[in-house]
Amino acid sequence: MTERFSAREAIALAGDDFRELPVPMREFKPDGPLSWQGYDDARRRALTRTGEDESVVCGTAVIGSTRAVLVAFEFGFLGGSLGERTGDRVEAAYTHARAHRLPVVSLVATGGSRMQEGMLALTQLQRVARQSALAREAGLPQIAVLRDPTTGGGWATLGAGADVTLALPGAQVGFAGSRVRPPDADPAAYTAEAQMAAGAVDAVVREEELRETLALWLTLLTAPAAEAEVEGEVESEAASGGEVEPVSPPAALGAPGLPATGWDAVRHARSPERPRAAAYLDAYFSRRAAIGGDRCGGSDDGMLCGFGSGPAGRTVAYAAQCGTATRPAGYRTAARLIRLAGRLGFPVLTLVDTPGAANDAQAERQGAGSAIADLFAAVATARTPVTTLVIGEGGSGGALALAAPGNTWATPDSYFSVIAPELAAAILKRPASEVRDTADQLRIRPQDLVELGVIRGVVEHAGR
């Protein structure tokens, strides 16, 4: 179990210069809206114990160089439960965030809704969810930090509903609190680490690293969408409106020189010496922060997604395949990334490198087709420009789903094909000896793809 910090200790961990917001006043009749016997006494004891008069403390603080609205739960006050006055304060905090264009950081530690206020307490989740939705519509980033415990409605709104969800090690995280779970439930399933493995948490962050991590995220997600010089004509509908300019693709990192044959292109793309996605991201971004997980129960280490500080310090979202067969969770995570970038106004860079979509039985059970369809839709309807660079294998629809129509480039050591040459030969009932000729017929070399109009161009080598 992680250490349980008070609300103000958590605020001090996260930032400096905390300024508490005015507290909305709501008068209750004795023992609250339900006249729950002993409720007033319980509140008085909670005040004496914690020094707080409600389960949440709201204000603004400077995190790194960014001022943000903080919503910090006090678990010592009736288990950090949400009541009507909690809802009042959270709503006021979000209203302040929208009025002043500030990001929202929620430091969550709650057991759920307050029983002593009954359904009036439960309906506060609707209020909180609406405020979160209004912040999304306004393009304001929302980051949640899950403390111990984060359960019930607090997890299902401010926690799981944030754009980026971080958690402290060992924190209890789950919709069901410890006293309402099935008696045979595995407690390890209700932890920050388990939620990260299930794709519901982006990162587990140690308390001593929390401030630096939050500062990086806030810097990246609040950077203005500055204009950048772009090679060629701008053809993106979003860019033509003058809102966000697309980025230029990274330079090639592998060996220079175009392949002589289609099979040469395949060999170069499959070479173990060829640079992979991590090398391109490290070369392109001065610093970056990753999101992880599809929020549907899965994650895929073969799809790297996040935001980075790109050329001229401009924030760029990225989704990059790592040379493995992409799993459904990878496609869903990339779709999540592209939609988040659109809401926040950042251009997107995608790196294509996969032999194709995972096609095993588990992938089918996890909804491979619907996941790929969702990514196609996310790219097709992206609110900000998407730029794609094929850096290795471009295997069929599993690769094409990540590619930007009309704004895809390729490195010299890559190929893009309707299907792998070996599989094409098998489908056509050709012997293995004809695989190389089939690769030529498919016209999968980078220069072929330019001639066919499939890609915009072949990027130059970084050393040129």
Side-chain angles (χ1 to χ4, degrees):
M1 181 184 295
T2 188
E3 183 178 352
R4 286 186 174 173
F5 301 100
S6 71
R8 295 185 190 272
E9 287 172 337
I11 290 169
L13 273 179
D16 298 307
D17 190 27
F18 180 69
R19 304 174 186 176
E20 194 162 351
L21 291 172
V23 176
M25 298 305 297
R26 176 191 290 263
E27 294 299 325
F28 276 159
K29 61 184 181 180
D31 283 330
L34 303 187
S35 299
W36 185 289
Q37 186 174 1
Y39 182 33
D40 286 347
D41 289 339
R43 288 182 59 88
R44 279 191 289 268
R45 289 193 299 271
L47 171 62
T48 300
R49 182 169 56 252
T50 65
E52 307 295 348
D53 61 357
E54 193 41 79
S55 62
V56 69
V57 178
C58 300
T60 68
V62 176
I63 303 175
S65 59
T66 306
R67 183 163 287 280
V69 167
L70 264 60
V71 176
F73 281 76
E74 176 53 71
F75 187 74
F77 192 100
L78 301 181
S81 56
L82 286 85
E84 284 190 294
R85 288 174 175 170
T86 318
D88 292 343
R89 296 187 184 195
V90 173
E91 183 174 275
Y94 268 90
T95 300
H96 184 87
R98 292 196 306 276
H100 296 273
R101 302 295 303 167
L102 297 177
V104 178
V105 176
S106 298
L107 307 171
V108 189
T110 174
S113 299
R114 191 169 300 169
M115 291 180 295
Q116 295 92 330
E117 295 184 26
M119 278 300 298
L120 294 176
L122 189 65
T123 58
Q124 300 311 302
L125 302 182
Q126 295 171 321
R127 291 180 73 188
V128 172
R130 173 172 169 74
Q131 293 306 310
S132 180
L134 290 174
R136 281 194 295 273
E137 290 178 4
L140 300 178
Q142 298 176 79
I143 301 175
V145 178
L146 312 181
R147 296 152 53 209
D148 186 58
T150 298
T151 60
W155 165 230
T157 52
L158 292 176
D163 298 321
V164 177
T165 304
L166 310 175
L168 296 181
Q172 257 190 100
V173 179
F175 187 67
S178 59
R179 297 183 183 181
V180 297
R181 298 169 191 158
D184 59 347
D186 179 6
Y190 301 85
T191 63
E193 290 77 6
Q195 295 290 356
M196 182 176 172
V201 167
D202 293 300
V204 175
V205 182
R206 293 183 299 175
E207 62 185 73
E208 61 267 26
E209 298 172 346
L210 180 60
R211 180 180 294 217
E212 182 180 358
T213 302
L214 285 173
L216 173 58
W217 270 115
L218 289 170
T219 297
L220 291 173
L221 298 185
T222 60
E227 293 186 359
E229 293 182 3
V230 187
E231 297 181 17
E233 296 180 359
V234 175
E235 298 181 8
S236 164
E237 180 179 347
S240 65
E243 296 177 359
V244 179
E245 292 287 348
V247 295
S248 297
L253 298 179
L258 292 170
T261 68
W263 188 246
D264 285 340
V266 173
R267 287 193 306 106
H268 295 167
R270 293 177 180 174
S271 169
E273 284 81 34
R274 173 181 58 77
R276 261 46 182 190
Y280 278 90
L281 296 176
D282 288 343
Y284 193 73
F285 295 111
S286 58
R287 54 182 179 169
R288 54 190 171 96
I291 66 169
D294 62 359
R295 297 299 187 262
C296 298
S299 59
D300 180 5
D301 292 339
M303 179 75 82
L304 302 180
C305 294
F307 293 82
S309 182
R314 184 186 190 195
T315 294
V316 177
Y318 64 84
Q321 292 166 320
C322 298
T324 58
T326 305
R327 306 205 63 80
Y331 292 114
R332 293 190 181 102
T333 304
R336 172 193 161 205
L337 180 281
I338 290 168
R339 292 184 174 117
L340 175 56
R343 289 202 307 272
L344 300 180
F346 297 118
V348 181
L349 170 68
T350 66
L351 302 180
V352 168
D353 185 10
T354 180
N359 58 6
D360 52 64
Q362 184 181 20
E364 293 297 337
R365 285 193 291 267
Q366 292 171 345
S370 61
I372 295 170
D374 188 45
L375 180 54
F376 268 119
V379 172
T381 60
R383 294 168 60 180
T384 51
V386 180
T387 300
T388 299
L389 180 62
V390 185
I391 63 171
E393 291 195 81
S396 194
L400 187 66
L402 197 60
N407 198 25
T408 293
W409 306 72
T411 63
D413 52 356
S414 68
Y415 78 88
F416 216 149
S417 180
V418 62
I419 194 171
E422 299 94 332
L423 298 179
I427 291 172
L428 297 172
K429 299 181 180 180
R430 294 178 176 180
S433 59
E434 294 186 22
V435 168
R436 296 189 178 192
D437 290 339
T438 302
D440 285 333
Q441 287 180 289
L442 287 169
R443 300 196 65 190
I444 60 179
R445 301 176 303 169
Q447 59 267 45
D448 296 326
L449 299 171
V450 173
E451 185 178 339
L452 291 170
V454 174
I455 65 174
R456 289 183 63 173
V458 180
V459 296
E460 293 187 356
H461 190 263
R464 295 180 60 184

